[in-house]
């Protein structure tokens, strides 16, 4: 990722090179989000339970067969004053026929990804705001946020530049309609 020999390295280049060289402890996640390196510890049991419940429904009930990844990093474009980001969603879904997750590179472009899911953790603002902007910039059609502090599930859709144009929230216990290519009502009763 180095600049050409005659071009000086920018701060963003140096940050990206340092980030890509990180050796995080097993179970920890390192992400480069809008110019900040964020390292998160392994998730707690409730976090993993929520992801498992959602993955199960998406795989079983989607109209289009979906492929799931839980640790595949996404390279997201820069925008405004934000440099490129390298983010690892809690869950990423793409049509199975695309087989997007192949290859040795742990970081893939977001083209073809239909849905990303995040469950809030200790730094909930990152999931609620910062990652939402990153996913919208990447043109990912759907972002599903499970907010444990608010006991709600929000689906963001219609990415427009730095944000999503539509949002639909329900409290835990209510169903939330996922549009095509999923085309089913996500049940959230088990999240209570």
């Amino acid at each position: 990722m180095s600049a050409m020999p005659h071009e000086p390295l920018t701060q963003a280049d140096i940050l990206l090179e340092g980030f890509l060289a990180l050796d995080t402890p097993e179970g920890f996640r390192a992400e480069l989000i809008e110019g900040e390196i964020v390292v998160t510890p392994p998730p707690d049991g409730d976090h993993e339970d929520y992801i498992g419940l959602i993955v199960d429904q998406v795989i079983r009930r989607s109209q289009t067969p979906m492929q799931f990844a839980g640790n595949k990093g996404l390279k997201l474009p820069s925008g405004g004053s934000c440099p490129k980001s390298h983010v690892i969603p809690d869950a990423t879904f793409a049509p199975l026929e695309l087989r997007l997750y192949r290859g040795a590179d742990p970081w893939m472009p977001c083209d073809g990804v239909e849905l990303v899911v995040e469950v809030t953790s200790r730094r909930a603002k990152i999931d609620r705001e910062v990652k939402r902007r990153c996913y919208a910039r990447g043109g990912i059609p759907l972002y599903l946020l499970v907010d444990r502090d608010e006991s709600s599930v929000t689906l963001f859709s219609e990415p427009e530049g730095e944000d999503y144009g539509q949002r639909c929230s329900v409290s835990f216990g209510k169903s939330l309609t996922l549009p095509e290519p999923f085309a089913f009502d996500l049940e959230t009763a088990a999240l209570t």
Side-chain angles (χ1 to χ4, degrees), residues 50-68 91-95 114-117 144 178 181-187:
Y50 291 0
I51 292 296
L53 292 167
I54 291 167
V55 169
D56 178 61
Q57 288 186 65
V58 171
I59 296 298
R60 283 187 305 105
R61 301 179 66 201
S62 290
Q63 181 175 342
T64 300
M66 288 289 152
Q67 188 174 29
F68 157 76
T92 304
F93 295 95
E114 290 291 338
L115 170 70
V116 290
V117 179
L144 186 72
L178 297 181
F182 303 95
F184 74 92
D185 290 343
L186 180 73
E187 300 301 329

Side-chain angles (χ1 to χ4, degrees), residues 16-68:
L16 180 58
E17 284 186 13
F19 166 73
L20 293 174
L22 282 176
D23 186 21
T24 55
E26 187 173 335
F28 282 71
R29 272 190 190 174
E31 301 171 287
L32 179 60
I33 306 173
E34 294 188 344
E36 179 184 352
I37 295 175
V38 178
V39 178
T40 54
D44 62 36
D46 288 342
H47 182 281
E48 292 302 280
D49 181 56
Y50 291 0
I51 292 296
L53 292 167
I54 291 167
V55 169
D56 178 61
Q57 288 186 65
V58 171
I59 296 298
R60 283 187 305 105
R61 301 179 66 201
S62 290
Q63 181 175 342
T64 300
M66 288 289 152
Q67 188 174 29
F68 157 76

Side-chain angles (χ1 to χ4, degrees), residues 64-68 93-102:
T64 300
M66 288 289 152
Q67 188 174 29
F68 157 76
F93 295 95
L96 180 61
E97 68 184 28
L98 298 179
R99 298 183 65 202
L100 292 181
Y101 309 132
R102 296 171 53 194

Side-chain angles (χ1 to χ4, degrees), residues 7-181:
E7 295 177 20
L9 288 175
T10 66
Q11 280 188 312
D13 293 332
I14 295 167
L15 180 63
L16 180 58
E17 284 186 13
F19 166 73
L20 293 174
L22 282 176
D23 186 21
T24 55
E26 187 173 335
F28 282 71
R29 272 190 190 174
E31 301 171 287
L32 179 60
I33 306 173
E34 294 188 344
E36 179 184 352
I37 295 175
V38 178
V39 178
T40 54
D44 62 36
D46 288 342
H47 182 281
E48 292 302 280
D49 181 56
Y50 291 0
I51 292 296
L53 292 167
I54 291 167
V55 169
D56 178 61
Q57 288 186 65
V58 171
I59 296 298
R60 283 187 305 105
R61 301 179 66 201
S62 290
Q63 181 175 342
T64 300
M66 288 289 152
Q67 188 174 29
F68 157 76
N71 288 305
K72 189 68 172 172
L74 296 177
K75 292 186 257 189
L76 299 165
S78 58
S81 62
C82 299
K84 288 182 181 178
S85 295
H86 286 64
V87 178
I88 304 171
D90 291 329
T92 304
F93 295 95
L96 180 61
E97 68 184 28
L98 298 179
R99 298 183 65 202
L100 292 181
Y101 309 132
R102 296 171 53 194
D105 191 346
W107 302 100
M108 65 180 245
C110 49
D111 297 338
V113 171
E114 290 291 338
L115 170 70
V116 290
V117 179
E118 295 286 358
V119 175
T120 56
S121 54
R122 291 184 193 123
R123 297 177 72 180
K125 183 176 180 177
I126 290 173
D127 296 321
R128 289 184 190 123
E129 299 173 22
V130 183
K131 284 189 174 183
R132 187 182 80 227
R133 288 192 304 265
C134 289
Y135 297 142
R137 274 195 307 274
I140 296 172
L142 301 169
Y143 173 38
L144 186 72
L145 174 66
V146 179
D147 194 319
R148 298 192 287 178
D149 297 331
E150 303 292 327
S151 298
S152 68
V153 179
T154 302
L155 181 66
F156 297 92
S157 60
E158 299 180 20
E160 300 172 356
E162 294 284 312
D163 209 347
Y164 286 90
Q166 295 292 318
R167 75 184 299 159
C168 179
S169 294
V170 298
S171 300
F172 285 179
K174 298 188 179 195
S175 63
L176 178 67
T177 300
L178 297 181
E180 297 279 342

